[in-house]
Amino acid sequence: MEKSKEEETKTDSTEYQLGRESELRFEVDNNETVEVEMKEGFAEIFGTELLLDKTYKFKSGAKVAIFTWHGCVVMMKGKPEVVYVSKDTPMLIYLNTHAALDQMRQQAEAEGSRGPRVMVVGPGDVGKSTLCRLLLNYAARIGRKPTFVDLDIGQNAISVPGTMGALLVERIADVEEGFSLTAPLVYHFGAVTPSHNMKLYTMLTSKLAEVFNMRCRTNPKADISGCVINTCGWIKGDGYKCITHAAQAFEVDVIIVLDQERLYNELVRDMPSFVKVVLQPKSGGVVERSQNFRRNARDEKVREYFYGHQGRLYPHVFDVRFSDIEIFKIGAPTVPNSCLPLGMTPEDNQTKLVPVQPSPELAHHILSVSLAKSKDEDLLTTNVAGFVCVTHVNMDRQTLKVLSPAPRPIPRRYLLLSDVRFMDVK
């Protein structure tokens, strides 16, 4: 005899009782949805407090840790891929880090100086994004307004893949949706790894730091609150140069190295004495993500940009005439030194704007809408207004069909081509 839906729901419900300073960790996979509801006590997810008797939904790909300082009872519905309770957690270390950073903010307030600028570094899959979120949430909970800077162009938390950006955090992140992405500052890079164009990556990092410094001069609260900088997981060779360049550009005070003793020692050796470099453990719940998982996560991030969290938004689809836009790609193909004009180096090619003629090959590519009003403005270092996705190219009618979060027309003429693709199958 088949079970009723009500009986199935009861079977899928599990109650977890967590003791002091323990963590309920779970992963959602295989297109499942897991619902979590806190029945008693106090708990948080990456620094955001959970409300009693409110249902939180986590979709496929979610990796979640519910932490409690004093104990709680959590009801879970659904079938997570992995679920367990652990008392082996570095949360006390992370809380002490937050407390030390806020002492620096209090000192900055008293002396009229700037607040702490923190950079989180380490190899891939050690929980850098999670620690950034935790520190930002704890700061927001006590009334600070730190700036979140995300230099991870592959798994960016502020905007779509292939970009870097900054966001003033004025309130705590939502458990399901993350930080409110109102008016972020975003720059186009166009690929998901810095090695694609090192010169452009360092140029945009410097530009982001310059704009952040300008904001600090006009916003004392943001200046005192400082910033938390997330970085890529590439830490060797040119990747290490990216880290040291970012530290110099943002004039960081603290570098937190997660789970990488060699990187810690290299930074202690190379950083000025006033930069505090600290080595901290990663959370035991952190797992290595496959290339396929990363691809799916990037795809989901783009989908969320157009359709909103859980598909709550309805994007627009319209035609754009070739004559109304100009498309550029940053970086020309590398050529041998002997073929370059006198005095030119291969690096100069990396920041060259190459006009792109519309063709069927543009289909499914993401285009960044530059805020530049004319070609005289630097298209490379002008931030973007948003993104459109080319869904079809009609060569006969000389039009592109685009998916856009806003209705026509596209607000600016100049578009930058990204290697990031998105298949709209909704």
Side-chain angles (χ1 to χ4, degrees):
M1 194 171 74
E2 288 186 9
K3 290 182 181 179
S4 68
K5 284 186 179 177
E6 197 174 330
E7 284 176 320
E8 281 185 0
T9 305
K10 283 178 183 174
T11 307
D12 287 348
S13 296
T14 309
E15 188 179 271
Y16 292 91
Q17 294 196 350
L18 278 69
R20 291 170 60 87
E21 294 182 22
S22 58
E23 204 164 55
L24 175 65
R25 299 169 182 162
F26 64 92
E27 297 174 28
V28 187
D29 207 352
N30 301 328
N31 298 315
E32 291 280 344
T33 297
V34 170
E35 295 183 2
V36 169
E37 191 177 324
M38 196 170 71
K39 308 305 288 182
E40 292 176 30
F42 300 91
E44 59 186 55
I45 292 179
F46 310 138
T48 304
E49 290 183 285
L50 297 179
L51 301 176
L52 279 173
D53 300 322
K54 179 179 176 179
T55 301
Y56 298 94
K57 292 183 180 179
F58 301 95
K59 295 175 69 178
S60 179
K63 299 182 189 298
V64 184
I66 300 174
F67 179 81
T68 177
W69 292 104
H70 306 290
C72 68
V73 177
V74 174
M75 183 71 75
M76 181 182 288
K77 293 179 184 176
K79 296 176 181 176
E81 180 81 1
V82 178
V83 58
Y84 62 96
V85 176
S86 174
K87 285 190 75 70
D88 180 22
T89 166
M91 281 293 291
L92 191 59
I93 295 171
Y94 296 163
L95 181 67
N96 287 338
T97 303
H98 157 69
L101 293 176
D102 205 62
Q103 281 184 353
M104 293 171 76
R105 293 186 187 107
Q106 290 170 22
Q107 189 177 346
E109 217 164 9
E111 296 175 355
S113 57
R114 66 168 211 202
R117 299 182 178 192
V118 190
M119 190 162 76
V120 180
V121 302
D125 301 323
V126 292
K128 295 187 295 295
S129 301
T130 300
L131 178 56
C132 288
R133 180 167 169 170
L134 197 74
L135 295 175
L136 290 162
N137 273 330
Y138 279 168
R141 277 165 69 167
I142 56 173
R144 303 294 185 186
K145 292 187 178 180
T147 300
F148 178 32
V149 178
D150 201 341
L151 303 179
D152 185 352
I153 52 177
Q155 305 287 332
N156 198 277
I158 293 174
S159 189
V160 301
T163 62
M164 61 172 69
L167 178 73
L168 186 67
V169 177
E170 299 188 90
R171 53 181 179 272
I172 302 158
D174 182 85
V175 167
E176 298 171 4
E177 297 183 44
F179 291 110
S180 171
L181 299 177
T182 307
L185 177 70
V186 177
Y187 289 94
H188 169 95
F189 180 74
V192 295
T193 171
S195 61
H196 180 81
N197 193 330
M198 285 292 296
K199 187 172 183 183
L200 179 63
Y201 187 83
T202 54
M203 185 187 289
L204 292 178
T205 301
S206 297
K207 181 65 178 179
L208 203 49
E210 181 189 323
V211 176
F212 171 64
N213 284 330
M214 287 167 61
R215 173 180 275 175
C216 287
R217 284 196 287 271
T218 57
N219 187 335
K221 192 150 191 178
D223 192 23
I224 288 165
S225 299
C227 66
V228 177
I229 305 165
N230 186 33
T231 56
C232 297
W234 186 28
I235 59 170
K236 293 180 182 176
D238 285 342
Y240 181 73
K241 289 178 186 173
C242 290
I243 291 171
T244 55
H245 173 77
Q248 186 178 11
F250 281 92
E251 300 171 0
V252 299
D253 308 297
V254 180
I255 299 177
I256 299 173
V257 184
L258 286 180
D259 195 48
Q260 179 62 256
E261 199 169 351
R262 177 181 166 179
L263 178 61
Y264 165 75
N265 284 304
E266 286 174 342
L267 288 168
V268 168
R269 179 194 69 205
D270 295 338
M271 287 293 107
S273 57
F274 59 82
V275 177
K276 179 76 174 169
V277 184
V278 292
L279 179 64
Q280 295 191 349
K282 67 178 181 180
S283 169
V286 173
V287 293
E288 194 170 328
R289 298 171 292 183
S290 66
Q291 288 297 324
N292 192 46
F293 180 90
R294 289 171 181 274
R295 254 192 313 273
N296 290 340
R298 284 196 285 268
D299 201 52
E300 191 56 40
K301 190 69 183 177
V302 178
R303 187 180 307 283
E304 194 173 291
Y305 174 78
F306 288 109
Y307 288 95
H309 180 67
Q310 296 182 354
R312 292 173 187 164
L313 303 179
Y314 296 92
H316 302 261
V317 179
F318 53 84
D319 289 336
V320 180
R321 293 196 300 268
F322 291 175
S323 57
D324 290 341
I325 56 172
E326 289 182 58
I327 304 173
F328 296 93
K329 184 169 176 63
I330 300 173
T334 53
V335 294
N337 286 355
S338 57
C339 299
L340 291 169
L342 196 63
M344 189 175 176
T345 64
E347 276 198 351
D348 296 330
N349 261 10
Q350 291 186 311
T351 53
K352 187 177 179 183
L353 280 171
V354 182
V356 176
Q357 296 305 317
S359 70
E361 291 178 2
L362 281 180
H364 309 302
H365 275 275
I366 298 294
L367 299 175
S368 301
V369 182
S370 174
L371 278 169
K373 293 179 181 176
S374 71
K375 278 190 195 173
D376 297 333
E377 289 186 56
D378 191 350
L379 287 177
L380 273 68
T381 57
T382 299
N383 57 311
V384 299
F387 309 90
V388 295
C389 178
V390 179
T391 58
H392 181 68
V393 182
N394 191 321
M395 297 304 292
D396 295 330
R397 295 180 58 195
Q398 298 279 288
T399 59
L400 301 176
K401 189 179 286 293
V402 299
L403 183 72
S404 168
R408 70 177 81 204
I410 289 179
R412 292 286 192 272
R413 181 176 179 83
Y414 304 108
L415 306 177
L416 298 171
L417 176 64
S418 175
D419 287 346
V420 176
R421 290 170 172 250
F422 174 66
M423 293 281 285
D424 183 25
V425 292
K426 196 169 177 71

